[in-house]
Amino acid sequence: MAKKRALVTGLTGQDGSYLAEFLLEQGYEVFGLVRRSSTVNFERISHIQDKIHILSGDLLDQNSLISAVAEAEPDEVYNLAAQSFVPASWGQPVLTGEATALGVMRMLEAVRRVRLDTKFYQASSSEMFGKVRETPQSEATPFHPRSPYGVAKVYGHWITVNYRESYDLFAVSGILFNHESPRRGLEFVTRKVTDGAARIKLGLADELRLGNLDARRDWGFAGDHVRAMWMMLQRDEPQDYVIGTGATHSVRELVELAFGCLDLDWQKFVVQDERFLRPAEVDLLVADPSKAKSELGWEPTVHFENLIRMMVEADMKALGSKLSEQRSS
Ligand code: NAP
Ligand code: GDD
């Protein structure tokens, strides 16, 4: 039987790398969309790079997306690419709208123009719930986004629903709560904290500057969440799902846990810095993942404490080997 073909946008990102790994394990032929940059940034996919067909394209460029879909002829498209860092969306709201909102429509157009029987996954976000109208948040909770990023994701969600209803496309929107891993970008709070704690432990830094310690998030493991994306596309009917662990923790609890893993008293090192406060905050996110559990059979395998421990250990190892390389050179 011919291998199933998948096209993943955002291949070089955290989720793209985990999803590509997962699809290869499932026996897929994997195509990944990568935008041109002056230096190659394949750090997260270097171990699987030879097994993936890399295609050049940009969410801002419609023709490149049509070409990528035409070349890959995918059974499944996973649209993970986006400007995904919330604070950057206030600094670059137009770019965020172009990539995170209109980019979704361009990918849907590419799929519609090239072939109609491709299944489409859109990486939607719990940021859409923003100033939450109810707790926990489910597929039925109304949106109230609090950042240009969140607003752009609401467009991405509704254009996905609209293409499903307009063109009978198998298009789903996965509303994913925060998910983290040792591959998380260094600017996101979990990785900033685990990397920061490891640096302090190793004598490479003496403080960590953070913003709002009271914000609460439903933090899961990226490896678990990408599996849910795939599960959504294996259903007979396209439907949208909320994916999260159902537990919420504050940034303060995160800091206490990460520093505690290294026997450090966080209060001696963490400095609150208003530069990291946001013009409008999302105070509390926590998922009601019951629909995903009952219909997809999806459940998280890694919970908050183990996730943070895994990230602290990975940062200690990575920084430790860099240090010994420097010392021996
Ligand atoms: P990430 O690590 O920031 O990766 C984003 C990816 O998008 C990168 O590969 C980036 O390429 C690519 N990209 C950005 N702009 C592009 C453009 N104009 N054209 C083509 N590619 C572009 O994000 P992530 O954490 O993996 O998240 C994946 C998706 O899920 C994103 O859409 C994000 O908004 C959404 N999401 C994430 C979470 C989460 O907690 N991680 C939760 C809900 C939803 P470069 O490497 O070249 O920058
Ligand atoms: N980044 C960051 N840096 N966040 C901080 C800091 C800091 O120094 N100090 C406190 N925080 C708080 C933020 O104010 C926010 O309330 C929370 O930590 C989480 O911030 P991020 O890790 O940057 O993630 P996010 O929740 O804004 O967005 C992530 O999750 C979304 C899903 O809910 C991103 O991955 C988005 O792309 C994703 O859609």
Side-chain angles (χ1 to χ4, degrees), residues 144-190:
H144 184 150
R146 296 275 280 170
S147 61
Y149 168 83
V151 174
K153 282 288 177 188
V154 171
Y155 177 91
H157 169 83
W158 282 116
I159 200 69
T160 302
V161 173
N162 179 259
Y163 268 54
R164 176 166 80 215
E165 293 174 354
S166 303
Y167 302 115
D168 202 22
L169 196 71
F170 191 115
V172 306
S173 168
I175 305 173
L176 271 52
F177 284 63
N178 300 49
H179 43 279
E180 321 292 315
S181 74
R183 298 183 201 165
R184 186 57 143 152
L186 281 164
E187 71 272 56
F188 298 92
V189 76
T190 51

Side-chain angles (χ1 to χ4, degrees), residues 84-87 125-127 149 153 176-178 180 184 187-190 192 209-213 215-217 219 251 276 278 281-282 285:
S84 79
F85 188 46
V86 172
S125 165
S126 51
E127 271 288 307
Y149 168 83
K153 282 288 177 188
L176 271 52
F177 284 63
N178 300 49
E180 321 292 315
R184 186 57 143 152
E187 71 272 56
F188 298 92
V189 76
T190 51
K192 184 172 171 183
R209 304 187 85 84
L210 293 173
N212 178 10
L213 300 184
R216 301 183 72 88
R217 290 290 183 276
W219 280 298
V251 173
F276 297 109
R278 299 176 180 188
E281 177 63 287
V282 172
L285 291 175

Side-chain angles (χ1 to χ4, degrees), residues 150-280:
V151 174
K153 282 288 177 188
V154 171
Y155 177 91
H157 169 83
W158 282 116
I159 200 69
T160 302
V161 173
N162 179 259
Y163 268 54
R164 176 166 80 215
E165 293 174 354
S166 303
Y167 302 115
D168 202 22
L169 196 71
F170 191 115
V172 306
S173 168
I175 305 173
L176 271 52
F177 284 63
N178 300 49
H179 43 279
E180 321 292 315
S181 74
R183 298 183 201 165
R184 186 57 143 152
L186 281 164
E187 71 272 56
F188 298 92
V189 76
T190 51
R191 185 75 197 290
K192 184 172 171 183
V193 168
T194 59
D195 173 79
R199 281 178 192 276
I200 290 169
K201 183 74 182 175
L202 294 168
L204 296 168
D206 50 21
E207 64 172 27
L208 176 63
R209 304 187 85 84
L210 293 173
N212 178 10
L213 300 184
D214 295 320
R216 301 183 72 88
R217 290 290 183 276
D218 180 331
W219 280 298
F221 173 51
D224 281 335
H225 284 51
V226 300
R227 184 165 36 85
M229 298 174 182
W230 175 78
M231 285 171 144
M232 288 180 214
L233 295 197
Q234 309 317 305
R235 303 281 297 169
D236 293 333
E237 294 296 324
Q239 283 200 39
D240 308 325
Y241 292 90
V242 153
I243 300 294
T245 68
T248 186
H249 298 275
S250 66
V251 173
R252 186 175 283 99
E253 287 169 60
L254 157 72
V255 169
E256 201 172 342
L257 176 61
F259 278 70
C261 288
L262 299 173
D263 297 320
L264 296 171
D265 175 1
W266 69 274
Q267 302 200 52
K268 291 189 181 144
F269 303 103
V270 171
V271 180
Q272 271 200 280
D273 185 333
E274 61 181 34
R275 279 182 307 150
F276 297 109
L277 297 177
R278 299 176 180 188

Side-chain angles (χ1 to χ4, degrees), residues 61-82:
D61 183 68
Q62 180 76 67
N63 287 343
S64 68
L65 303 181
I66 293 174
S67 301
V69 174
E71 192 171 338
E73 294 188 357
D75 297 294
E76 297 169 9
V77 166
Y78 295 86
N79 184 39
L80 309 187

Side-chain angles (χ1 to χ4, degrees), residues 12-15 35 41 58-59 80 82 84 149 153 176 179:
T12 52
Q14 171 189 256
D15 289 8
R35 59 176 166 169
N41 63 344
D58 196 301
L59 286 183
L80 309 187
S84 79
Y149 168 83
K153 282 288 177 188
L176 271 52
H179 43 279

